Amino acid sequence: MIKNIPGFLKLARAFDLFEEAAMLILTLCITIVACVGLLHVVVAVVRMVLSTGLEPTDPVLLQALFGMFFTVLIALEFKHSILVMPGGQAHSMARMRSVLLIGMMATVRKFIVLDLNGVNVQEMAALSGAVLALGIVYWLVRGKITQPLVDGSGSLLSSTDADH
């Protein structure tokens, strides 16, 4: 019925082109951010190895380093969520899982770089609640992935063979 509206298909195609262009631009931008972040991680690791050797003991340095690691991982996961190809419900579920993972990684990153001396109980409770809520929602929307059943020799089993 909506396809009968004059000009709807042209408008839909124009929006699809706009969406593809926006995703291309966002992908390029996030790739640049991830590359620059990775460069910062490499420079920080080299500086750490040169200054402390292979025994880094400064917790502040390690917190900063792992914070940079998570920043790059979040950027890469964000890029991955942009590149999920459209394809119906599977597309929206994949995108939702990706957004939930990004939220969990960002919250975990916050925990890692958190200075426990300067944090109050309310902030800690709020972050903990956020991680718990994101984890529960991710668990609820996760896809059922069935692993092939394999016997001890590596041969595939049918579901009836696995019951015996």
Side-chain angles (χ1 to χ4, degrees):
M1 180 170 145
I2 198 165
K3 293 180 181 179
N4 295 335
I5 298 173
F8 174 77
L9 291 177
K10 287 182 183 180
L11 183 62
R13 270 190 235 114
F15 184 75
D16 287 343
L17 288 173
F18 168 75
E19 185 179 22
E20 287 179 26
M23 288 199 309
L24 177 65
I25 291 168
L26 285 173
T27 300
L28 290 173
C29 290
I30 201 66
T31 301
I32 291 169
V33 168
C35 288
V36 169
L38 182 61
L39 180 66
H40 283 274
V41 168
V42 170
V43 168
V45 168
V46 168
R47 283 183 183 166
M48 180 188 71
V49 169
L50 292 177
S51 66
T52 64
L54 296 177
E55 295 183 31
T57 57
D58 184 15
V60 175
L61 178 69
L62 291 175
Q63 281 180 325
L65 192 61
F66 284 117
M68 286 189 273
F69 284 166
F70 267 95
T71 301
V72 173
L73 288 174
I74 290 167
L76 292 174
E77 185 61 35
F78 184 70
K79 184 185 77 61
H80 175 73
S81 74
I82 291 173
L83 295 178
V84 172
M85 295 297 167
Q89 186 175 359
H91 162 69
S92 63
M93 291 304 287
R95 183 130 324 146
M96 181 187 303
R97 282 191 298 266
S98 185
V99 167
L100 289 168
L101 283 174
I102 291 169
M104 283 190 282
M105 286 192 315
T107 309
V108 167
R109 180 195 177 281
K110 179 69 175 170
F111 271 118
I112 287 174
V113 300
L114 195 63
D115 179 18
L116 293 178
N117 294 329
V119 68
N120 60 29
V121 175
Q122 291 86 4
E123 185 178 1
M124 188 64 80
L127 286 172
S128 300
V131 169
L132 182 63
L134 287 167
I136 290 170
V137 172
Y138 185 80
W139 179 74
L140 290 171
V141 300
R142 77 189 189 290
K144 298 283 184 192
I145 301 172
T146 56
Q147 298 293 330
L149 299 172
V150 180
D151 66 7
S153 68
S155 301
L156 289 176
L157 296 174
S158 68
S159 60
T160 56
D161 292 338
D163 293 335
H164 300 293

